[in-house]
Amino acid sequence: EVQLVESGGGLVEPGGSLRLSCAASGFTFSSYGMNWVRQAPGKGLEWVSAISSYTSYADSVKGRFTISRDNAKNSLYLQMNSLRAADTAVYYCARGKLDGMDLWGQGTTVTVSS
Amino acid sequence: QSVLTQPPSVSAAPGQKVTISCSGSSSNIGGNYLSWYQQLPGTAPKLLIYENNKRPSGIPDRFSGSKSGTSATLGITGLQTGDEADYYCAAWDNSLSAGVFGGGTKLTVL
């Protein structure tokens, strides 16, 4: 089955770190660019980061978050450091580029609170 | 404040047609492809339209997309109660070197 499954979310204190994972299956993972998109409670979608032949980040996370991938493990990662309350959100991984992200995971919830 | 501007809400009766606008600039919509996503309550977003006006397999032709200059429109005909959802536009922004979403539009089928 073609799918993306996120994991690694949880409760973390402000200033803490968390590493999200996204496991891909059913397709040739290495052939696709990948993204992280988040959604704060009751808010809209916010693009966070992408990786293809290069990496890119939203200004809100630049310098704090790092996107990476392991094609041998069909996995996408998001290392999140110096977490803030404003980073509280459901984090989705999504396949493709901004002209059409055609496969999304179910999301993993990150809560930053003391 | 989102880089792409959408109306917060739209509504129409079952069977009717509705359009949702998405306004941007030359650095995003004007210079790149646009995509549209549907997010039903409590679920992950789903791709509705890619590359401005193309529908993925499985998306009914009731959904259509168009783009002109720095604006785009999502059209939905034959509205059904199951279409009640939040709809988002998205594009790459060359000036920001980042992806951008619209703020989202809540569709109510009265």
Side-chain angles (χ1 to χ4, degrees), chain A residues 37 39 43-47 50 54 56-59 62 92 97-102 104-106, chain B residues 33-35 37 39 43-45 47 49-51 88 90-92 96-103:
Chain A
V37 175
Q39 186 169 36
K43 302 297 184 181
L45 300 175
E46 179 188 13
W47 176 86
Y54 56 90
S56 50
Y57 300 91
D59 283 346
K62 201 171 291 183
Y92 297 100
K97 298 188 286 187
L98 268 293
D99 54 358
M101 293 179 284
D102 65 348
W104 294 65
Q106 85 289 349
Chain B
Y33 285 123
L34 183 93
S35 53
Y37 302 87
Q39 188 176 33
T43 69
L47 178 65
I49 298 290
Y50 68 100
E51 293 181 1
Y88 296 89
W92 185 257
L96 298 174
S97 291
V100 290
F101 278 94

Side-chain angles (χ1 to χ4, degrees), chain B residues 36-40 43-48 59 62-63 76 82-88:
Chain B
W36 288 94
Y37 302 87
Q38 177 193 60
Q39 188 176 33
L40 297 169
T43 69
K46 180 173 82 171
L47 178 65
L48 273 185
I59 300 300
R62 300 189 299 108
F63 295 90
I76 311 173
D83 295 332
E84 286 202 334
D86 293 322
Y87 292 83
Y88 296 89

